[in-house]
Amino acid sequence: MLCAKYWHPWVEHTNSHLDKAAMVLAVCEVNTSTMTRQRTPWQIGKQYQESTTAPNTGIWGSYPLTAWFAQRSAGYGYLLYAPAQQLWTAWYGATVGSHTGFAMHTYHRDAPEISQEEYAKYTYPVPREMVELREEAEGPWRDHHRTGTGDHQASAAWRYHPRLKDIGLQKHTHGPVYMQQYGLANGSVGQLPAGEFANPGHKTGRLEMLFGEDTGIQANALRPCGEDWIVGIIAKVGGNVCAKVTRLGEITTWKSIEPSVGKMPCGSSGGACGDGAKGRMLRIAPLGSSEEEALCGATARFLFGYEKEDRTRWLVEVDGDCNEISEKMDVTQSTHWPLYQDWTTTTAGEVVWVTTWQADVKGSFGPVGSPNGVWPYKPKPQLEEEEYLFDLTPEATNAAKVTVYSPWRGTTTSMSSTASSSTLSTTVVVISTSIWLLSGFQPAEGGEDRACRGASASDNHATYYVVVEASSLEACQHACLDQPLCSGVEYSPGRCEVWTRPGGIRSTKPLRGFSCYRLEPPGAFALRPVDGGHRACRGQTASDNSPEYMKVLPIGRLFDCKAACLQDPDCTGIEFSLGRCEVWTRSIHASAEISNFTCLALEGPSFREVNGPGQACRGAHKSDNLMSYYEVVPDTSLDACMWSCTGRLGCSGVEFSQGRCEVWSQQIQATIALEGFACLRYAPVLQNLQSFIRKRRQHFLGLLQTSSKENLSRTKLEGASEEL
């Protein structure tokens, strides 16, 4: 669903108090697969005209084109869907003559159109084939103030609460920020607003955001947290504050994350607004879980973003009690988020924001060269022949900047995507493309002049990958990011292999003109396929599948499912199917054949430091270092070096120093102290021992039917020795 704005076909201003142009606010319904409009847009707001002749007409609550104060309070407006009630609600800064304020309007998703009789009363009717006019929903949330009033609203933030089944909102006018519930919950659907939030309405059910000696001065962001709320608010003393508010309207937590706050810019020069207003860059969003879960407390994670007085931008993770749980990260040079646009959290727990920007060459909106997403373009020039029409925006781009903060990698990356045309629908197609961190690709054994292989340099089965067309290595990597099972890519000019082998890319083969890159979280070499990998995990037997064995996570990609396991100290393996990740906490001894499933078991600690850190590997004694003991592999990280070891038969360990990896085949019995070196012995832990025994037993029983006892005895011993 997209919020779309349509020009009025009329431009006359007969009301002497109205000095701002107005527009019609409408909703487009879009097919997210084709990004094509599904039906005629429908109006979700008031239509301007001098006198009120029909519902939702008049001057009270017009959607403005150029009223900067009204726009500064809520940007170009917010659109929110309440799934329990199937209601759409819009909230925007509005005008009442020359006054500024706000308006809120709520419609059922299948609201009927107004009658022809009512439509005929419109002074400036928009053609119904362009924009439908529908009947607005009635409820306790609606009063004549909320549908349009001039209260001088100066900030706005809101969110739907999946447990309360209501909207929480914050705003301020001339005093402190106050919080309310909108009033969608009616007792039968959701709990009635209670405590300070009882009797919802424009002037009722208010909680002023005051805590001790501090005062909330700018509403910025709020999210569900259990049955309560976690809030990002700009405060007079605390600056960028994380707070918690109960469903009854009690402020229980108020913690300053950063006291320094940037002032809001007004105009293309980057100067602060005339009133010196602070804030609008504070954000908070669930991390590692979907918003529908509404996790809270010490085990919940949220991403908290803010801007300091010097206009540098920072990210930090906090828990559900507003405690910082990560180092603060300066992201000024790598990303920007708009003043009024909120962040979103995917079902996989990634925090995403979308915008566009230009480089701030003068340093007007932050450090020189950093992204300027506040005022990236010059104003549209007005057409000389048409008083109320404008030309195209100078230097505008159709490149969308998409930033994803992954809960499993703890890093951010922005990516530019350029659409083939400048239309909104085409840009949205680009934005909806699966975006992943290109920096997550790591070269396998140097990456260049290497072809990817499976368990060994000769293991290259056609089922391990999907061949796609790609004009560059980067395009090949993007193709990988669109494949939920992708574990890496092999690229040669004109050919791209997207690898989906359950065991990953364990080895490579030297081949000029080829490139091989893995897409794996650190430590993923310890995840091994169970019975080939294309299976569903089971406990003791193929039918042993208790929910108590696993933690179920709504994760859409195998990469993140692996990362979730590797960060969980109780994990014994994973089962992955599209959109579902099972992090197993019970030993996986069996599997079941089910299509489109992947089962991987986690080895016990297979790499161990020999004699501690800062050691170089040696053979039988400290001076025993023959070149025949190891193979030098051009890996650039210790993790990649360990991958190379697991892909070589007989690997006994690795020695790694800056840019150099030695994969040892000789037993490592000694070391020498050498700064910057790491020596690790490799001793893989045999997984699925009972499964192994069961298979060998079946093998032996088969031999009983075809072999003599004498031959069987010899074959059994040879087979067991070979397997072990």
Side-chain angles (χ1 to χ4, degrees), residues 570-618:
D570 298 324
C571 181
T572 60
I574 60 170
E575 177 189 290
F576 177 78
S577 56
L578 192 57
R580 177 186 171 94
C581 169
E582 293 180 2
V583 175
W584 276 59
T585 55
R586 181 220 193 275
S587 296
I588 300 169
H589 294 297
S591 67
E593 185 176 357
I594 303 179
S595 60
N596 300 318
F597 278 66
T598 300
C599 180
L600 305 175
L602 182 65
E603 289 181 340
S606 51
F607 284 94
R608 296 182 183 274
E609 284 186 334
V610 183
N611 299 330
Q615 300 287 323
C617 300
R618 293 297 182 263

Side-chain angles (χ1 to χ4, degrees), residues 70-133:
Q71 287 183 347
R72 195 180 72 166
S73 74
Y76 290 106
Y78 301 128
L79 181 67
L80 189 150
Y81 183 65
Q85 295 88 353
Q86 297 187 333
L87 293 173
W88 286 102
T89 300
W91 180 13
Y92 53 89
T95 57
V96 180
S98 60
H99 294 281
T100 61
F102 79 100
M104 293 175 166
H105 295 275
T106 299
Y107 292 76
H108 193 274
R109 60 174 295 181
D110 296 319
E113 289 192 61
I114 65 171
S115 66
Q116 183 61 34
E117 180 183 6
E118 184 175 318
Y119 178 72
K121 297 178 181 179
Y122 279 58
T123 307
Y124 307 110
V126 178
R128 302 184 84 159
E129 66 272 15
M130 292 177 59
V131 179
E132 293 179 0
L133 292 102

Side-chain angles (χ1 to χ4, degrees), residues 456-471:
S456 66
S458 60
D459 185 20
N460 189 34
H461 200 278
T463 58
Y464 293 168
Y465 52 80
V466 177
V467 178
V468 300
E469 292 184 4
S471 58

Side-chain angles (χ1 to χ4, degrees), residues 159-348:
R159 209 68 178 179
Y160 179 77
H161 199 304
R163 298 192 187 182
L164 300 181
K165 299 185 179 1
D166 205 349
I167 298 170
L169 62 99
Q170 290 187 341
K171 60 178 286 181
H172 88 281
T173 55
H174 299 289
V177 172
Y178 63 85
M179 184 170 176
Q180 299 176 300
Q181 278 186 223
Y182 188 53
L184 297 182
N186 57 17
S188 59
V189 179
Q191 302 177 46
L192 282 170
E196 296 294 323
F197 300 136
N199 303 314
H202 172 57
K203 294 186 176 182
T204 54
R206 294 185 179 186
L207 166 69
E208 289 194 330
M209 296 300 290
L210 306 173
F211 191 84
E213 300 298 319
D214 211 353
T215 301
I217 59 174
Q218 274 275 355
N220 273 221
L222 65 160
R223 288 294 188 275
C225 189
E227 287 196 335
D228 304 324
W229 300 91
I230 190 166
V231 174
I233 188 170
I234 304 296
K236 188 175 183 179
V237 177
N240 295 286
V241 166
C242 178
K244 289 184 69 176
V245 180
T246 71
R247 70 178 188 87
L248 300 178
E250 304 158 312
I251 302 174
T252 59
T253 304
W254 189 280
K255 294 184 180 180
S256 173
I257 304 299
E258 168 55 50
S260 170
V261 182
K263 292 184 178 180
M264 292 180 64
C266 282
S268 57
S269 65
C273 299
D275 58 3
K278 294 181 177 181
R280 297 316 298 266
M281 288 293 285
L282 197 162
R283 301 290 184 271
I284 191 168
L287 180 66
S289 62
S290 68
E291 200 162 322
E292 286 296 311
E293 296 176 79
L295 298 186
C296 201
T299 59
R301 295 166 65 194
F302 293 84
L303 185 64
F304 191 94
Y306 58 92
E307 184 180 71
K308 296 170 67 172
E309 189 173 5
D310 60 3
R311 290 185 175 170
T312 56
R313 294 174 290 280
W314 297 76
L315 300 176
V316 65
E317 294 183 24
V318 299
D319 65 17
D321 294 320
C322 291
N323 299 307
E324 296 176 38
I325 56 175
S326 75
E327 296 293 325
K328 292 177 178 176
M329 182 189 305
D330 185 349
V331 295
T332 310
Q333 296 294 335
S334 58
T335 188
H336 200 290
W337 50 92
L339 281 172
Y340 307 104
Q341 182 196 92
D342 211 342
W343 292 349
T344 189
T345 301
T346 69
T347 55

